[in-house]
Amino acid sequence: MEDPKCLKSVADFHRTFKHPILPTPQIPAEQRAKLRVSLLAEELKELQEGIENKDIVEVADALADLQYVLSGAILEFGLADKFKAIFDEVQRSNMSKACKSQAEAEATIAHYQAKGEEAYFKQEGDLYLVFRKADNKTLKSVAYSPADLASIVNS
């Protein structure tokens, strides 16, 4: 299994407590899938509460629990052996949000302005980063390349 330490640790937990680790990508039994969503929602709520309470220890606990539960979901959906490739492909795609030239950044801003969104760019090293003015959300370059996860999951 080519995976991060957290997946190996959670796999040990799953084996110990007899929780499923599916060998191939698939949707688990409905009850297990619902449990995974419920567990993630519960930990996300704890994160929100930690932030609202300005309690960094509660935030740390919620983030660790989210990672733990997320790792369990990766195992239960049979994605453990492919997860590094999945993550790497998402990383490649996310990095393609950066513009490689000022002209590309300006074209990206024009694209979003045509959709009614105000945007601006900043140069960082050799890259040009485009952000939405309202909340500084990173926006996708007009040259953005979406993640091709189907070829990984289905291989």
Side-chain angles (χ1 to χ4, degrees):
M1 216 187 292
E2 185 177 5
D3 54 10
K5 185 176 187 323
C6 59
L7 280 182
K8 291 178 184 173
S9 297
V10 176
D12 289 343
F13 177 86
H14 274 235
R15 283 189 287 275
T16 299
F17 290 94
K18 308 301 183 221
H19 297 311
I21 298 175
L22 299 181
T24 59
Q26 59 191 286
I27 304 298
E30 184 178 350
Q31 180 183 9
R32 293 300 302 181
K34 285 182 178 180
L35 174 62
R36 284 285 146 202
V37 171
S38 173
L39 292 170
L40 286 164
E42 179 183 327
E43 299 305 337
L44 191 57
K45 186 174 184 332
E46 285 185 22
L47 175 62
Q48 183 178 9
E49 290 170 358
I51 292 168
E52 289 169 0
N53 296 333
K54 298 186 183 348
D55 183 339
I56 193 64
V57 173
E58 188 176 351
V59 167
D61 178 60
L63 289 171
D65 288 347
L66 274 164
Q67 181 64 60
Y68 208 93
V69 173
L70 179 60
S71 295
I74 292 165
L75 296 166
E76 284 204 46
F77 281 82
L79 296 167
D81 289 338
K82 297 177 183 260
F83 198 72
K84 181 180 183 329
I86 291 167
F87 187 89
D88 290 348
E89 175 59 7
V90 169
Q91 172 68 2
R92 182 211 55 78
S93 174
N94 281 337
M95 293 305 290
S96 78
K97 292 177 182 181
C99 299
K100 298 202 175 17
S101 68
Q102 184 171 335
E104 186 181 325
E106 290 168 352
T108 299
I109 289 171
H111 168 78
Y112 283 100
Q113 285 178 332
K115 295 167 74 171
E117 290 191 69
E118 292 296 315
Y120 68 97
F121 75 87
K122 289 182 184 178
Q123 183 175 1
E124 288 292 330
D126 294 338
L127 299 175
Y128 297 81
L129 312 178
V130 179
F131 300 94
R132 184 168 51 205
K133 281 187 181 177
D135 58 4
N136 292 318
K137 179 185 185 284
T138 298
L139 297 176
K140 297 172 185 168
S141 163
V142 291
Y144 168 75
S145 171
D148 176 14
L149 300 182
S151 67
I152 297 168
V153 172
N154 296 324
S155 68

